[in-house]
Amino acid sequence: MIKYILLLLFTFKSFGEEIRQLDLRRSLILAENAIKKNYYLASLPFIKEAMVITKSPNEKLDEVIDRVLEVVGLAQFRFLPEDVLINSNSLFSKVVLAKKLIDSKKINDAKDIITDINDSHYIASLAYQIRGTIQMLTSEFDSARNSYKQCVTVAQKRKKQYKKSDTRYEYFEFIESTCDISIARAYYKEGKFIEALNEYSKVDMRSYLFPSSLLESAWTLYRLEDYQTSIGRTIAFRAPFLKDYFYPETEQLIAMSFFKICHWDEVKDTLKYFDDKHYNNARALIKYLDKNTLKESKVLQTILE
């Protein structure tokens, strides 16, 4: 009797596995049919269905994921649960999963996700950036800087494949700039301020992140007690070519630097300039950020106080 029961259970299990494989093949066929017609967004429900069905990495599925996400972007996988993403070996899936784990403060788990990176993959540069971030969070500063350098190299090679008018060129240029400035940030976090200052100076003025590098280099100079040079860097934000950037923190740093060198009148003038230029805008922005429960509101609130 027991033999028959065990045989019956085994049969049901085998039958269930066959059904699962049939469902997986069906989802992949539907996804590929949509891709052939360039209906990339329409293929996503079938891809996600296949990811839920499969219990382990599937090479065919990973190929489909790579083809589609290169076109539609990572955001389409943002809300997939971790236990679904873990079943894919696609670098796209791994990057999304690693970012989710970082946001959940599961740094050690994230560290195990992005290990081997194929430099020829479309988002290899972003993968290096994420790996560098993980290494920064675990205070592996040398490794983080190496990852960021690899990110810069790969992003530079990738962007050369596109025209400057192409949005993909801008995308890889942004990743390159982000990793470039992250090298300086790694030095700063490690407390190596001279090295950080040297790296900040390498950021191109045409870079998206040049204003951020200017402010961060000013903070580095402040930590080095070079207050007058720090003032010179931050005062640049009052110049016409930077007037459209909202960096109220610069006035805080200017006031602190003037305070350190006992220029009391300049401290008062700076605070008045801040109130006239930034206070109302900052209040309005805090209200918006609070309404949308965004953490940046606390940063602005600290500056205002």
Side-chain angles (χ1 to χ4, degrees), residues 91 137 175 198 201 213 243 262 267 287 293:
L91 193 56
L137 292 169
I175 292 177
N198 290 335
S201 67
S213 72
K243 67 178 182 179
C262 304
V267 173
K287 186 177 179 180
T293 61

Side-chain angles (χ1 to χ4, degrees), residues 272-290:
K272 185 178 184 306
Y273 180 87
F274 174 84
D275 286 342
D276 293 342
K277 184 175 176 62
H278 293 302
Y279 190 83
N280 290 332
N281 289 335
R283 277 292 173 199
L285 185 55
I286 286 172
K287 186 177 179 180
Y288 169 80
L289 294 171
D290 280 340

Side-chain angles (χ1 to χ4, degrees), residues 50-194:
M51 291 177 73
V52 172
I53 293 170
T54 187
K55 300 298 181 183
S56 59
N58 181 288
E59 188 176 344
K60 184 68 176 178
L61 176 57
D62 289 338
E63 289 175 3
V64 172
I65 291 171
D66 284 350
R67 287 166 61 192
V68 173
L69 262 63
E70 184 173 331
V71 177
V72 302
L74 291 168
Q76 301 298 330
F77 274 20
R78 186 172 53 185
F79 297 110
L80 284 177
E82 294 171 13
D83 60 348
V84 171
L85 290 165
I86 197 70
N87 290 327
S88 171
N89 276 337
S90 166
L91 193 56
F92 282 104
S93 303
K94 288 185 175 184
V95 165
V96 175
L97 178 57
K99 291 175 77 173
K100 287 173 76 75
L101 290 170
I102 291 170
D103 291 341
S104 302
K105 311 297 182 186
K106 301 175 183 176
I107 309 302
N108 289 328
D109 291 339
K111 191 176 180 180
D112 296 331
I113 297 300
I114 301 180
T115 50
D116 297 328
I117 300 173
N118 180 358
D119 287 2
S120 64
H121 195 281
Y122 184 77
I123 59 161
S125 54
L126 181 59
Y128 280 122
Q129 181 191 338
I130 298 298
R131 190 169 78 178
T133 300
I134 294 167
Q135 290 162 338
M136 275 269 280
L137 292 169
T138 54
S139 299
E140 299 172 68
F141 300 113
D142 287 337
S143 297
R145 283 189 286 270
N146 287 333
S147 291
Y148 289 135
K149 288 173 183 176
Q150 287 173 296
C151 166
V152 170
T153 301
V154 174
Q156 285 175 341
K157 289 179 180 178
R158 176 63 68 167
K159 77 176 184 180
K160 288 177 182 177
Q161 299 177 19
Y162 309 104
K163 294 180 180 179
K164 289 187 177 181
S165 57
D166 195 315
T167 54
R168 288 170 293 184
Y169 181 94
E170 293 182 3
Y171 172 73
F172 288 110
E173 189 171 54
F174 182 77
I175 292 177
E176 177 192 345
S177 298
T178 303
C179 289
D180 216 7
I181 198 173
S182 294
I183 296 170
R185 288 169 177 167
Y187 277 121
Y188 184 93
K189 187 177 180 183
E190 193 177 3
K192 295 182 177 180
F193 301 123
I194 297 294

